[in-house]
Amino acid sequence: MSRKGIIFDLDGVIVDTAGFHYLAWKHLANDLGFDFTEKQNEAFKGVSRVKSLELLLEIGKKTATQEEKDQWLKSKNDEYLSYIDNMSHDDILPGVAKVLDYLKENKVPIALGSASKNAVPILKRVKLHKIFDATVDGNDVSKAKPNPEVFVIGAKELGIDAADTIVFEDSIAGIQAANIAGMISVGIGDAKVLQEADYNFNDFTEIDIQFLDKLLNS
Ligand code: BG6
Ligand code: MG
């Protein structure tokens, strides 16, 4: 049995920021004259900011100059930052702290693997910036999920083989990235949406110590 490590996505897994991303994109879409639904938003989860704008413009059938795109990327991010400004330790999603505490107590290596360029400020806001053994975010990667780059770097920094790496993800793109890398994928959210995951839970309150032990010791 080899040593296992765990990589956590951030948005929608550790903190409830997925809704903030959605709101900010929806406002931009509405300003540009079209609607953007929660269902459409599923394809945006785990996807980089630049790629998300491309997807949004496709939905609205809009073409834009680079200058306009830069301006919209900035306005979306400014709105998003205004939401995360109000976050605190209380905004860690239910059940997450208990799992993190258990992993730390048992010296299981843990990493953050997020597409977000805002990951570190968010971790600081919720006071989780010191607990990860490695933090890989949107500033460290050039290829967005479903490319597994972010998780491959995370596992490497933890010194864990891909096959021994467990990934917690709320996005289709992130589950695909973990699967492509040959890692064990755990979907957090609707099992119908995240059907490619090896395991599914609605949220961390459903994850118990027995399940973690099974994953870590198999
Ligand atoms: C991912 C989110 O974690 O980060 C996406 O799921 C988001 O919705 C992406 O677009 C990039 O985030 P940011 O904070 O760099 O705009
Ligand atoms: Mg996510």
Side-chain angles (χ1 to χ4, degrees):
M1 190 175 62
S2 42
R3 196 161 168 253
K4 301 277 196 301
I6 301 194
I7 305 183
F8 291 82
D9 175 47
L10 176 66
D11 297 315
V13 168
I14 291 180
V15 285
D16 198 9
T17 41
F20 297 156
H21 280 294
Y22 171 61
L23 264 188
W25 286 125
K26 187 176 167 66
H27 282 160
L28 177 61
N30 294 164
D31 286 349
L32 297 177
F34 61 95
D35 201 15
F36 175 52
T37 65
E38 283 197 53
K39 188 154 183 251
Q40 288 169 324
N41 185 55
E42 287 301 332
F44 284 56
K45 289 183 180 172
V47 172
S48 71
R49 199 182 309 165
V50 169
K51 178 85 183 133
S52 297
L53 179 62
E54 282 170 21
L55 291 176
L56 194 77
L57 295 178
E58 268 173 42
I59 290 171
K61 299 191 178 50
K62 297 268 171 205
T63 50
T65 63
Q66 191 55 49
E67 204 182 339
E68 285 171 320
K69 287 185 195 168
D70 290 345
Q71 189 194 323
W72 296 334
L73 286 169
K74 184 178 180 318
S75 63
K76 184 270 169 182
N77 195 50
D78 286 348
E79 179 173 339
Y80 179 68
L81 290 177
S82 75
Y83 297 137
I84 64 173
D85 234 20
N86 297 317
M87 292 179 78
S88 70
H89 194 66
D90 297 339
D91 290 298
I92 297 171
L93 281 164
V96 171
K98 192 186 71 185
V99 169
L100 289 174
D101 286 347
Y102 182 76
L103 297 175
K104 292 308 279 181
E105 273 163 30
N106 288 279
K107 301 200 171 22
V108 177
I110 57 172
L112 189 89
S114 168
S116 174
K117 295 190 170 178
N118 295 308
V120 173
I122 293 172
L123 287 178
K124 284 188 176 156
R125 276 248 148 246
V126 300
K127 300 201 166 38
L128 287 180
H129 54 295
K130 290 190 181 146
I131 68 153
F132 291 99
D133 302 298
T135 301
V136 189
D137 66 21
N139 300 295
D140 304 309
V141 295
S142 57
K143 300 180 202 101
K145 300 171 190 174
N147 187 291
E149 185 183 20
V150 64
F151 297 144
V152 171
I153 297 175
K156 198 169 167 207
E157 289 193 12
L158 293 180
I160 303 288
D161 290 341
D164 295 319
T165 305
I166 299 147
V167 174
F168 286 99
E169 254 292 349
D170 72 317
S171 71
I172 300 167
I175 293 293
Q176 289 171 340
N179 291 346
I180 291 168
M183 298 174 176
I184 300 152
S185 55
V186 185
I188 304 295
D190 188 339
K192 287 201 261 338
V193 175
L194 304 175
Q195 51 183 286
E196 293 172 58
D198 294 320
Y199 301 91
N200 285 98
F201 297 94
N202 286 310
D203 58 46
F204 272 82
T205 62
E206 294 181 357
I207 296 181
D208 56 22
I209 302 303
Q210 283 90 324
F211 173 72
L212 288 176
D213 282 345
K214 186 181 99 180
L215 274 186
L216 293 168
N217 298 319
S218 58

